[in-house]
Amino acid sequence: QSFKERQQQQQQHEEKARHSVHSIIKRHYRDCRTRSQADRDLIEALKVAIGLNTTRTAQAAPRPIRQQILRVIDCVSLVLILSNTILIGIETEIGMHRAVEMQPQPKWAWIVETTFTVLYSIEVLVRVYIQRRDFVC
């Protein structure tokens, strides 16, 4: 086969794939009258991915950026939780020794607890700002 024939076969294959996805989307629209926002977003993302004309193209563009930001926030949250867990263990160990010796808790423990509380609060506020209505649902 020549290059041109292979290219035409590739285009025909892509067109069949687009048609299959398009028919799946149409069937989904027909079968489901009520859908959640996540289902609608998935359908719109599929339409944009396969190049179908859609009225929500402008709204679909920011979604990946939000998802990337949420992934970063998830990673930061994981680091916060793990470091807080380690510091709670250290604080408990030191606190037990101080309690046996009848000494007060160290001041740094209060500072660390307050810092983590502020960081967790900032995380929740950022999530609420980015996800908006999706945060509650």
Side-chain angles (χ1 to χ4, degrees):
Q1 290 181 343
S2 70
F3 176 75
K4 193 167 190 151
E5 290 173 344
R6 280 184 278 165
Q7 192 175 21
Q8 286 176 345
Q9 285 180 345
Q10 179 69 24
Q11 288 174 349
Q12 289 173 351
H13 179 70
E14 288 175 1
E15 186 60 36
K16 286 180 184 178
R18 270 195 206 97
H19 180 69
S20 297
V21 172
H22 189 347
S23 63
I24 290 169
I25 291 170
K26 284 172 77 175
R27 193 173 333 130
H28 187 72
Y29 269 122
R30 188 179 60 240
D31 294 344
C32 302
R33 293 292 177 216
T34 58
R35 272 181 310 287
S36 69
Q37 183 64 37
D39 288 342
R40 288 191 296 272
D41 291 343
L42 176 64
I43 291 168
E44 293 302 325
L46 282 171
K47 283 181 166 181
V48 170
I50 62 171
L52 294 175
N53 291 337
T54 178
T55 57
R56 294 184 53 192
T57 307
Q59 287 181 340
R63 287 274 180 208
I65 294 170
R66 285 184 181 172
Q67 296 302 324
Q68 290 174 358
I69 293 172
L70 287 173
R71 277 191 112 146
V72 170
I73 291 172
D74 287 341
C75 292
V76 169
S77 298
L78 176 66
V79 170
L80 277 175
I81 291 169
L82 290 176
S83 58
N84 192 15
T85 303
I86 292 168
L87 285 170
I88 286 173
I90 293 170
E91 185 182 335
T92 302
E93 184 69 27
I94 291 173
M96 289 299 291
H97 289 294
R98 288 196 171 232
V100 169
E101 297 170 1
M102 301 289 215
Q103 294 178 352
Q105 293 291 339
K107 185 164 180 117
W108 64 266
W110 180 84
I111 293 171
V112 168
E113 288 175 15
T114 305
T115 302
F116 276 109
T117 302
V118 169
L119 291 174
Y120 287 135
S121 299
I122 290 171
E123 175 207 351
V124 169
L125 290 174
V126 170
R127 282 185 188 274
V128 167
Y129 178 75
I130 291 173
Q131 293 179 324
R132 294 184 180 103
R133 280 186 279 155
D134 293 338
F135 182 80
V136 181
C137 298

